[in-house]
Amino acid sequence: MPSPIEILRKFYGYSSFRPGQEEIINNVIGGRDTLVLMPTGGGKSICYQIPALVLPGTAIVISPLIALMNDQVQALRANGVPAFAVHSNQNEADNSTALSLAAQGKLKILYISPERFMMDMERLAAAVNVSLIAIDEAHCISQWGHDFRPVYKELIAAKEKFNNVPVMALTATADRLTRKDISDSLGLSDPFCWIGSFDRPNISLQVINDPGKKKRLSYIANLIEDHPLDSGIVYCLSRKKTEDMHKSLLDMGYRSVCYHAGMLPAEREKAQRAFVNGEAQVVCATIAFGMGIDKSNIRWVVHNNIPGNIESYYQEIGRAGRDGMPAKAILFYNFGDIITRRSFVEESGQKDVNREKLEFMQRYAEASVCRRRILLSYFSEESICDCGNCDNCRSPRETFDGTILAQKALSAVIRINCAEGINTVIDILRGLNNSTIIQKRYHQVKTYGVGRDLSSRQWHSYILQMIQLGLLEVAYEDNFHLRPTPYGMRVVRGQERIELNTFRDTEFFTSGKRKAPAASKPVYATREEELMALLKETRREVALSEKIPAYVVFSDATLADMVEKRPVDIETFAKVNGVGQLKLAKYSKKFIGVIRKFEGKSKSLPAGSSVKETWILFESGMSPEEIAAVKEVQKTTVLSHLAELTDKGKITDFSRIISEKDIAMVEEAIREDAATAYKSLREKGVDPGIIRMGQAVVKYRYGIG
Ligand code: ADP
Ligand code: ZN
């Protein structure tokens, strides 16, 4: 059996495991049930894929996400692993081919939807040598989760039917109730549990108090411009908001697509494809988007509206930066969204749970301490220091004595008999003349206009803080009107003083004046950036010609490692993280060519490179036939390379190259007459490659020839 680390190097081109992966893999290979909790991007796939490659037979991976299945199959094949998917979105002929290939033992991994698994379970049990069963997105089994799927409940049958096969449950959902539910509901027996860290330190966190529509747009435009070759997601609350955002971005000249539940399936698929293959720079989506997206080079995620709970939020921002490279998560926070969400909650099935979840989300948005610590504490993970990669860490708040300011707001609320919500209260404080004010005669209230010196955004921020501090409360049952608490009353009477955080306006770049991306010629700040752009362009060309997504060719992390290592020959290229044997064979020439040109070297590799390439592929475990196939040359040529390598003493084990019978035949001819051996064997119809190889072996062993 090959070892897990050998497989990791050979097929994936990675040099080491991430925390947990090796333990998980060894437990599964040892036949133990396993529960894996890791955040999105943590590297769960490898945890079942490597046991699948090590163990004899076919691994069955149950996944609810068809798009993700197809993606994974594509990525596996790009690494040289035989995989197939079975689901209802594919014609029955293909499904049937997949099942019969599995039965013949020709697949290492079979992805299947839960519905199809239940349908085909008997057949699979009878015909396929199943090595392991992995249940992806295992949180779908829990009613406590945010993504319950009834069919998952039936999967307990898997453990009963395949009782000698290890079952793995994998999920990125971390809340405690769900965890326990998963293990119980699947009937796992004494499972090995791995609870990975949910920290995603490469994602920077930022919350911006709603700066208004125009500035939001210019902020998003800047994100797009700062990452012209990458992509991002803007999550919006409703279909309409999604479409509005999409149209605005199109108007500004950006390549945007739209994605929401109101679109036809075909339209949605088209949008998703455009995003995945990089045609679109940005997708404006409702939460329905992204479940099936394995795109590793999403560099930023904007939440245009606050999500209803931390789980969803974390999963959505987790779609950025899966490759471990820096990524940004930005949340635009508007108190009005809390009110909208609050009304959803009141209509929902599990009011109490959902209300609490929303309140936690709100606390996150309004926090003035390290945001990552808030997130991690939500997932019961201890974090003992500030992260340094969130807005609060980067610029800690300053405070001031806010007593007078609070008194102004509180007395405005009291004088209008607690009859208004936050926006009207702010209008009164700022002395506006709109119709509500005039109709209700608020301009005659004594506090009218006492807060003219502050902007509406400043007032928003301060009133929110007053709510957080417990001076004011929002009457959710009474149209969200503001009312003072007993603590607030003491502040109005001057019995208590309070501190507020100084309002901080977020920096925005100048808006609107930027040119549409296509029109401007890129200027690179550094040589590294320039090379990265060239490599991305090359990757895009390869992806287009092979009809696969760019990140399946190479991830951003792999390209970044190329920028770092600057491989100008095959040996160095093989050392780049993410370059496995198949990708080495298929893509090295092209990428090395680009790097050589960039470095001012002749584009073609020095003489002898092809032999070296054969050697590296041979060393990585490929057979001469496989090498010939990936290099697109005749097997004879590969054999002559291997003969040359034998002459140089680089190869001493010939069992994978030539049979002892063939060696004996060549030896006999040489012993008869070394000078005419080649000719006489050719006349007998022996392949010239075999003759060359046989001669090299005979020379190596007996010193003759
Ligand atoms: P998950 O399924 O947990 O969301 P993936 O399995 O898709 O995450 O992995 C995320 C990314 O990390 C992928 O690009 C994957 O190739 C990469 N990755 C996983 N394990 C390693 C490793 N040991 N070394 C380097 N990259 C890895
Ligand atoms: Zn922080």
Side-chain angles (χ1 to χ4, degrees):
M1 277 205 298
S3 76
I5 187 83
E6 277 166 16
I7 300 264
L8 184 75
R9 295 196 174 130
K10 176 172 162 184
F11 286 98
Y12 300 85
Y14 295 139
S15 51
S16 57
F17 283 111
R18 289 194 182 151
Q21 287 179 328
E22 200 164 16
E23 291 91 324
I24 295 164
I25 290 166
N26 287 332
N27 271 285
V28 176
I29 293 172
R32 188 159 169 201
D33 288 350
T34 304
L35 174 62
V36 178
L37 294 150
M38 272 187 194
T40 317
K44 285 186 288 300
S45 320
I46 277 181
C47 296
Y48 59 78
Q49 289 172 356
I50 289 188
L53 286 164
V54 171
L55 294 168
T58 305
I60 294 182
V61 182
I62 301 171
S63 165
L65 307 165
I66 289 168
L68 190 63
M69 275 194 241
N70 291 341
D71 231 48
Q72 295 265 23
V73 166
Q74 227 169 20
L76 282 165
R77 289 188 187 159
N79 281 332
V81 178
F84 237 107
V86 169
H87 53 72
S88 57
N89 257 27
Q90 176 172 284
N91 65 49
E92 276 312 305
D94 286 348
N95 283 337
S96 166
T97 308
L99 291 170
S100 73
L101 282 172
Q104 294 164 47
K106 288 191 178 147
L107 292 184
K108 288 314 292 177
I109 305 186
L110 180 71
Y111 281 86
I112 190 163
S113 65
E115 292 81 9
R116 280 303 300 233
F117 176 78
M118 293 313 297
M119 230 169 94
D120 294 324
M121 190 165 70
E122 293 299 332
R123 188 168 160 200
L124 289 166
V128 179
N129 176 18
V130 176
S131 57
L132 70 95
I133 295 176
I135 300 174
D136 206 4
E137 312 289 343
H139 61 274
C140 294
I141 201 164
S142 172
Q143 264 147 327
W144 296 110
H146 48 94
D147 204 21
F148 175 56
R149 308 218 176 183
V151 58
Y152 259 66
K153 283 275 179 211
E154 297 170 34
L155 293 178
I156 193 161
K159 188 66 212 164
E160 289 157 11
K161 190 90 216 163
F162 299 85
N163 56 2
N164 288 323
V165 169
V167 173
M168 300 177 76
L170 305 105
T171 177
T173 296
D175 76 273
R176 270 153 294 160
L177 279 174
T178 313
R179 275 180 204 174
K180 185 154 164 28
D181 234 18
I182 293 173
S183 171
D184 294 350
S185 318
L186 289 173
L188 302 185
S189 71
D190 177 31
F192 170 73
C193 294
W194 176 268
I195 301 176
S197 167
F198 274 72
D199 195 6
R200 298 282 306 279
N202 61 315
I203 302 178
S204 72
L205 305 169
Q206 187 177 12
V207 178
I208 301 174
N209 281 317
D210 189 0
K213 191 171 174 224
K214 246 173 115 176
K215 282 194 171 172
R216 285 190 197 206
L217 263 178
S218 85
Y219 192 91
I220 294 168
N222 275 300
L223 282 170
I224 299 174
E225 305 254 340
D226 286 346
H227 304 91
L229 301 168
D230 306 306
S231 43
I233 307 177
V234 183
Y235 283 110
C236 305
L237 185 60
S238 63
R239 290 175 196 182
K240 172 146 190 334
K241 286 189 171 149
T242 306
E243 272 166 13
D244 289 350
M245 177 60 72
H246 165 63
K247 286 202 192 88
S248 307
L249 290 173
L250 277 185
D251 286 347
M252 292 169 84
Y254 298 111
R255 299 194 309 276
S256 164
V257 290
C258 189
Y259 187 102
H260 59 66
M263 289 160 57
L264 295 171
E267 288 172 340
R268 281 215 304 258
E269 210 166 286
K270 192 172 156 218
Q272 180 156 327
R273 218 172 18 243
F275 183 67
V276 162
N277 69 22
E279 274 164 49
Q281 299 168 296
V282 50
V283 59
C284 301
T286 51
I287 46 157
F289 181 79
M291 277 296 274
I293 297 284
D294 195 19
K295 192 172 166 66
S296 66
N297 63 334
I298 297 172
R299 295 268 70 91
W300 53 270
V301 169
V302 166
H303 279 86
N304 207 31
N305 305 95
I306 195 165
N309 56 60
I310 298 267
E311 287 96 328
S312 309
Y313 177 65
Y314 207 57
Q315 202 165 54
E316 283 153 22
I317 66 170
R319 302 208 163 105
R322 290 177 75 141
D323 50 13
M325 308 268 292
K328 295 181 184 142
I330 295 106
L331 166 66
F332 285 118
Y333 180 52
N334 178 321
F335 191 70
D337 291 341
I338 294 285
I339 292 177
T340 313
R341 287 267 176 209
R342 193 64 193 223
S343 50
F344 292 171
V345 164
E346 297 309 321
E347 287 155 21
S348 72
Q350 293 169 310
K351 251 187 248 179
D352 294 340
V353 178
N354 291 339
R355 193 182 305 124
E356 206 178 305
K357 288 190 171 188
L358 178 60
E359 275 166 15
F360 209 104
M361 188 67 227
Q362 184 180 354
R363 242 175 287 157
Y364 169 84
E366 294 173 354
S368 53
V369 298
C370 174
R371 295 194 202 273
R372 201 172 312 270
R373 292 181 77 165
I374 300 181
L375 290 179
L376 293 176
S377 77
Y378 184 80
F379 297 122
S380 320
E381 200 169 309
E382 199 172 293
S383 55
I384 50 170
C385 48
D386 288 355
C387 76
N389 196 19
C390 73
D391 47 357
N392 289 339
C393 280
R394 275 191 305 250
S395 44
R397 303 275 158 116
E398 290 163 26
T399 58
F400 66 102
D401 182 339
T403 312
I404 294 179
L405 192 148
Q407 285 169 339
K408 287 181 186 171
L410 285 159
S411 51
V413 169
I414 295 163
R415 282 176 195 273
I416 57 168
N417 290 322
C418 311
E420 296 295 341
I422 186 166
N423 291 327
T424 306
V425 171
I426 291 173
D427 291 349
I428 296 170
L429 285 164
R430 299 188 62 230
L432 298 199
N433 270 318
N434 58 38
S435 57
T436 315
I437 304 264
I438 306 298
Q439 264 167 30
K440 298 192 177 172
R441 306 187 159 273
Y442 287 151
H443 55 289
Q444 291 168 357
V445 169
K446 205 165 166 211
T447 39
Y448 179 75
V450 293
R452 276 204 178 92
D453 50 329
L454 298 183
S455 71
S456 154
R457 291 188 61 219
Q458 284 171 311
W459 271 117
H460 243 280
S461 158
Y462 293 135
I463 292 180
L464 282 179
Q465 291 184 48
M466 289 168 66
I467 297 170
Q468 276 177 283
L469 290 170
L471 301 170
L472 281 170
E473 61 186 17
V474 179
Y476 288 102
E477 70 291 354
D478 182 18
N479 293 317
F480 304 95
H481 293 167
L482 292 178
R483 61 188 178 209
T485 62
Y487 177 25
M489 292 310 292
R490 293 203 300 282
V491 173
V492 182
R493 292 191 216 106
Q495 293 159 338
E496 305 234 21
R497 305 199 71 80
I498 60 144
E499 293 264 297
L500 291 175
N501 291 323
T502 310
F503 175 79
R504 201 175 42 190
D505 207 352
T506 316
E507 287 288 313
F508 287 102
F509 305 89
T510 48
S511 60
K513 296 203 182 65
R514 289 187 166 226
K515 276 179 246 114
S520 56
K521 196 167 179 247
V523 183
Y524 300 104
T526 60
R527 290 270 292 165
E528 281 73 23
E529 268 180 36
E530 189 179 348
L531 179 56
M532 188 68 176
L534 286 171
L535 294 175
K536 281 184 178 169
E537 182 52 31
T538 310
R539 175 175 72 176
R540 203 180 62 86
E541 286 163 14
V542 171
L544 277 178
S545 80
E546 297 205 4
K547 298 197 174 60
I548 55 177
Y551 58 86
V552 170
V553 178
F554 285 129
S555 73
D556 279 11
T558 298
L559 296 189
D561 203 33
M562 279 181 213
V563 171
E564 166 101 24
K565 295 202 171 97
R566 306 269 168 107
V568 290
D569 57 53
I570 292 157
E571 267 169 302
T572 326
F573 196 81
K575 296 198 181 101
V576 171
N577 221 18
V579 178
Q581 64 171 27
L582 187 58
K583 288 182 182 172
L584 175 70
K586 278 168 79 173
Y587 306 135
S588 56
K589 270 205 195 87
K590 189 145 194 160
F591 283 83
I592 290 174
V594 170
I595 296 167
R596 290 186 69 87
K597 192 164 163 226
F598 182 78
E599 297 278 274
K601 294 193 160 54
S602 72
K603 202 169 167 195
S604 56
L605 287 167
S609 296
S610 184
V611 177
K612 212 181 223 172
E613 188 177 79
T614 299
W615 185 52
I616 290 169
L617 295 173
F618 182 74
E619 283 290 286
S620 75
M622 283 183 152
S623 69
E625 288 80 8
E626 286 169 331
I627 299 173
V630 298
K631 290 184 67 163
E632 293 176 358
V633 296
Q634 298 291 323
K635 187 183 162 192
T636 309
T637 311
V638 174
L639 287 173
S640 71
H641 290 167
L642 293 169
E644 198 178 322
L645 291 161
T646 305
D647 290 341
K648 289 194 178 128
K650 295 225 184 233
I651 299 176
T652 51
D653 172 10
F654 313 109
S655 58
R656 276 195 289 139
I657 309 173
I658 184 170
S659 68
E660 283 301 323
K661 202 171 138 237
D662 284 345
I663 297 173
M665 173 183 71
V666 177
E667 185 192 344
E668 198 188 311
I670 289 172
R671 288 198 190 276
E672 231 162 66
D673 181 359
T676 60
Y678 184 86
K679 196 161 161 266
S680 71
L681 286 167
R682 280 300 288 140
E683 276 161 10
K684 283 188 204 151
V686 182
D687 175 86
I690 294 286
I691 306 176
R692 270 291 286 121
M693 192 58 215
Q695 286 174 319
V697 177
V698 171
K699 177 135 195 221
Y700 171 79
R701 286 189 183 162
Y702 313 109
I704 54 169

